[in-house]
Amino acid sequence: MQYSAHIDFVAPARLRPSLWRLILGLVLSAAVYALGIALIFGLLVAVSGFEGANIWMQRMASEGTPTATLLVLATFIGMGVGPILAARLLHKRAMATLFGPIQPTTRHFAIAVAVCALIYGVMALIPSGVTPAANLSPGLWASFLPLALVGVLVQTGAEEVLFRGYIQQQMAARFSSPLAWMVLPSALFAVLHYQPGLMGDNAWLVVGAVFLFAVLAADLTAKTGSIGAAWGFHFANNCVAILFVAMDGPLSGLALYTLPSAEMTSAALRPLLMMDMAVTLLVWGAIRLAVSRR
């Protein structure tokens, strides 16, 4: 595929493309991410005391309550700040270069969200064979929705800035092959979603689905020269997975419905995961076509 827009997107990273800077930048990003979690813990200590803060941290790790899920989403602030600092301190480039030009970024984000909403809305009308369990009451769900949308926006934005912004740009500045700047960051992104305790034997299939999404998001970034389309794709996907039908666990507290733990480890889930990958390909193709016309 031809990626002419990717050349301009990667250009700021070419000024300081050394691998040691990228590696140090990833270490810095991890440290800032950890610091962000520590700051949240400190805030919880200030509000609830040390014992109360420990209880909240345990809830964030295991219980799907609305506030605990919002706190989990808030931890991603550090993930977004880390690569911004790395780009500024180690590569001497501005925060905006991680996003791409502002107008195409926002326009492609909106297009991707609209395409996802249309396709996911149609797919929701097709019986899946799995009956999710009711989670939040509609009224309580609606009351948390504004904060929940901000939380998902932050979470997906942080991951896009790190993986499709910082890592993809710096790898592309150093290596011309898409195997380096598209496949390797996508593999890292996918492996970080490996959860055998939650998914059982389905864990590697989930990793495969995440890898497919990451490669397609990297393609959209290269195609458009910004993270806007990938971010919109990611945001809409996670809104469905966190706010509508969530897997039972730490990120299920804001969802209308949940999939029980037994369903997530069952072999019956595998055809649905394969169907999910097919839908992901369909949505990617529709977004790619839509942004090509804008």
Side-chain angles (χ1 to χ4, degrees):
M1 294 182 180
Q2 297 298 316
Y3 293 121
S4 57
H6 201 224
I7 296 173
D8 292 336
F9 183 62
V10 175
R14 298 189 189 280
L15 298 176
R16 291 174 177 82
S18 303
L19 282 180
W20 70 265
R21 292 180 186 272
L22 172 58
I23 293 170
L24 191 56
L26 293 178
V27 172
L28 174 61
S29 296
V32 173
Y33 181 39
L35 178 60
I37 296 174
L39 289 175
I40 289 175
F41 180 75
L43 178 62
L44 291 173
V45 170
V47 173
S48 305
F50 188 78
E51 184 176 349
N54 278 324
I55 293 173
W56 273 111
M57 295 298 284
Q58 291 171 9
R59 289 177 179 172
M60 290 167 62
S62 60
E63 296 182 19
T65 64
T67 304
T69 299
L70 284 173
L71 287 171
V72 172
L73 294 175
T75 64
F76 284 84
I77 294 174
M79 181 181 287
V81 172
I84 290 172
L85 289 177
R88 188 73 188 93
L89 298 176
L90 296 171
H91 305 276
K92 309 301 180 185
R93 59 190 183 98
M95 175 182 75
T97 62
L98 294 170
F99 294 81
I102 184 65
Q103 289 186 349
T105 298
T106 53
R107 184 172 69 253
H108 292 153
F109 176 91
I111 290 172
V113 170
V115 169
C116 290
L118 177 61
I119 295 177
Y120 291 155
V122 172
M123 293 303 300
L125 301 176
I126 301 174
S128 65
V130 173
T131 303
N135 190 41
L136 295 184
S137 67
L140 183 60
W141 178 81
S143 69
F144 275 100
L145 186 59
L147 280 176
L149 289 171
V150 172
V152 176
L153 187 69
V154 168
Q155 179 253 324
T156 53
E159 291 185 341
E160 290 307 315
V161 165
L162 176 60
F163 287 94
R164 260 64 71 181
Y166 181 60
I167 298 177
Q168 180 166 328
Q169 283 179 323
Q170 291 302 144
M171 289 293 285
R174 183 65 179 81
F175 304 101
S176 60
S177 172
L179 290 175
W181 57 260
M182 178 183 285
V183 176
L184 288 181
S186 298
L188 174 61
F189 182 76
V191 168
L192 291 175
H193 287 75
Y194 180 61
Q195 296 178 289
L198 181 65
M199 302 302 303
D201 292 339
N202 294 327
W204 280 111
L205 187 56
V206 172
V207 168
V210 174
F211 175 72
L212 174 65
F213 169 83
V215 168
L216 299 179
D219 168 79
L220 289 174
T221 299
K223 172 67 176 176
T224 61
S226 80
I227 67 170
W231 189 358
F233 189 13
H234 199 168
F235 173 74
N237 183 75
N238 281 25
C239 279
V240 173
I242 294 176
L243 305 184
F244 289 93
V245 182
M247 296 179 179
D248 194 17
L251 285 177
S252 65
L254 295 167
L256 269 174
Y257 301 95
T258 59
L259 288 176
S261 300
E263 295 281 0
M264 292 185 291
T265 58
S266 170
L269 186 64
R270 293 168 197 170
L272 292 179
L273 289 171
M274 298 299 293
M275 177 62 72
D276 180 71
M277 286 189 268
V279 173
T280 297
L281 281 168
L282 173 64
V283 173
W284 162 77
I287 293 174
R288 209 175 197 277
L289 180 62
V291 297
S292 297
R293 295 183 174 182
R294 295 290 186 273

